[in-house]
Amino acid sequence: MMEWTDRHCRFFLRQISRHCLLYTEMVTTGAVIHGDRDRLIGFDPAEHPVALQLGGSDPKALAACARIAESWGYDEVNLNVGCPSDRVQSGRFGACLMAEPDLVARCIGAMRDAVSIPVTVKSRIGIDDQEEWPALKGFVDTVAETGATRFIVHARKAILSGLSPKENRDIPPLRYDLVRRLKAERPDLTVVINGGITTLDAAEGHLAVLDGVMLGRAGYQNPHVLADVDRRFFGGAAPPVTRDQVVARMLPYIERETVRGVPLKAITRHMLGLFQGMPGAKSWRRHLSENAHRPGAGPEVVETALALVRRQATAAAA
Ligand SMILES: Cc1cc2nc3c(=O)[nH]c(=O)nc-3n(C[C@H](O)[C@H](O)[C@H](O)COP(=O)(O)O)c2cc1C
């Protein structure tokens, strides 16, 4: 997710679940090819398994970027066919590609020929005035002819003219039924559902008939929701990590990164939701927000924020 799932965010989420697959922000092919790669696609080995999401529509450029992703050690490379922003449309990639399944198939074919890591697609169920089911089925069938097998479907349309990117994440109704129908009609494909899923119980419901669940906003805004993922879905034996343990696991990383010159805020901004719904959540957020940007701020700011949470939790329990 753009501006959200950068490397610090992914490292943090990895302290909560060892096994869930993490995705980068969308990075355009132009940026990967011409930009500062270390800044754009660099990641910590602890983040595995991690997928690089690309934005683009030129098969050659996408193949080159897929090769780069593989050589950097990514576990998967994903093509974004779901982002509705104007900036993305003018570059002819993102959700507008739902109208060009043949072009997407050429892109995916070129990427698949270039690498041996999985090449996956994240799409919508349709755009604008497309009829949803024929659009989704036609899109997936065409792209699957390249041999692609893993499709992540954000189960709502994107309306490219008239709705903002934010509105496009909430307003067009969710059609989980169409994603389920896709799996029923194409059981040979791996179908992952996305959109509006906020709890592991809901995820489990989907997993009864689908192959995977992608959490977007819930995983960011309430990251501790991921704490029981390993035990519930990956056969892990360990009990869910506590919020305090997550903070403890982050401290050495924060120490290392801030010593390297990374501003504390670049890390802690992703941690603000850790105590979501718990006593002390507000103090946690406030202390981090008010102090993490100060010059020289380091792990002690996070330790103090945790102490404030503990104090309030103790008071609430008394
Ligand atoms: C801030 C933000 C940035 C996003 N950036 C991307 C992106 O780069 N690539 C992408 O495929 N989806 C992106 N999305 C969409 C989410 O991946 C997801 O499809 C959408 O939010 C619906 O799922 P959810 O209800 O679980 O959040 C973004 C969403 C948000 C809120």
Side-chain angles (χ1 to χ4, degrees):
M1 290 183 284
M2 308 279 285
E3 309 285 329
W4 284 12
T5 58
D6 64 17
R7 56 182 301 170
H8 303 304
C9 174
R10 298 189 307 263
F11 186 94
F12 165 62
L13 295 176
R14 182 58 72 219
Q15 307 316 308
I16 306 176
S17 163
R18 295 284 179 219
H19 296 293
C20 68
L21 176 61
L22 297 171
Y23 283 80
T24 66
E25 305 168 88
M26 177 182 76
V27 191
T28 64
T29 49
V32 174
I33 291 168
H34 304 294
D36 173 352
R37 275 188 210 155
D38 194 41
R39 186 178 63 77
L40 290 163
I41 66 167
F43 66 96
D44 189 290
E47 291 173 36
H48 285 295
V50 61
L52 175 64
Q53 185 184 64
L54 294 172
S57 59
D58 172 32
K60 273 206 191 103
L62 283 164
C65 291
R67 244 180 253 114
I68 293 167
E70 185 172 54
S71 71
W72 277 65
Y74 278 96
D75 300 289
E76 172 184 318
V77 60
N78 174 270
L79 180 65
N80 182 323
V81 187
C83 181
S85 93
D86 288 346
R87 200 169 55 80
V88 165
Q89 283 178 62
S90 57
R92 194 155 161 252
F93 52 85
C96 63
L97 292 176
M98 289 291 303
E100 300 192 71
D102 291 324
L103 174 59
V104 175
R106 285 204 302 284
C107 292
I108 296 294
M111 293 163 79
R112 281 177 48 79
D113 288 346
V115 294
S116 52
I117 54 174
V119 176
T120 66
V121 184
K122 176 157 180 270
S123 74
R124 298 281 186 139
I125 55 175
I127 50 169
D128 296 332
D129 53 7
Q130 283 182 330
E131 207 185 320
E132 290 161 341
W133 173 246
L136 176 63
K137 180 70 168 37
F139 175 82
V140 169
D141 281 345
T142 303
V143 176
E145 273 171 34
T146 64
T149 57
R150 202 187 301 170
F151 292 83
I152 301 137
V153 187
H154 179 180
R156 57 162 61 89
K157 256 188 175 178
I159 307 298
L160 300 181
S161 42
L163 292 186
S164 70
K166 187 168 185 304
E167 289 169 330
N168 263 309
R169 291 181 207 124
D170 287 312
I171 292 179
L174 285 161
R175 293 290 311 271
Y176 294 148
D177 58 313
L178 298 184
V179 183
R180 291 171 174 218
R181 182 170 170 194
L182 178 67
K183 178 64 190 176
E185 296 203 7
R186 292 297 309 258
D188 55 316
L189 301 178
T190 299
V191 178
V192 177
I193 194 164
N194 165 247
I197 302 161
T198 58
T199 65
L200 298 193
D201 287 343
E204 194 170 332
H206 288 294
L207 288 170
V209 284
L210 293 166
D211 303 296
V213 170
M214 173 187 271
L215 262 60
R217 287 164 291 188
Y220 188 87
Q221 290 162 345
N222 179 22
H224 199 256
V225 72
L226 301 176
D228 211 10
V229 160
D230 294 352
R231 194 167 63 165
R232 284 180 73 162
F233 305 120
F234 292 93
V241 65
T242 66
R243 293 171 174 84
D244 291 40
Q245 285 168 334
V246 175
V247 175
R249 289 177 182 181
M250 285 302 289
L251 292 175
Y253 178 81
I254 289 170
E255 171 78 36
R256 184 189 87 192
E257 293 292 308
T258 50
V259 165
R260 282 178 45 195
V262 172
L264 178 64
K265 190 171 172 238
I267 304 171
T268 53
R269 74 187 187 94
H270 303 300
M271 299 170 62
L272 297 177
L274 182 60
F275 290 90
Q276 174 84 10
M278 305 296 291
K282 210 165 152 192
S283 308
W284 166 258
R285 280 197 307 271
R286 190 189 301 137
H287 189 80
L288 292 181
S289 304
E290 288 176 357
N291 296 285
H293 65 280
R294 294 185 197 281
E300 69 290 343
V301 171
V302 181
E303 287 172 307
T304 306
L306 181 63
L308 290 171
V309 175
R310 283 296 120 250
R311 200 178 308 156
Q312 291 204 0
T314 312

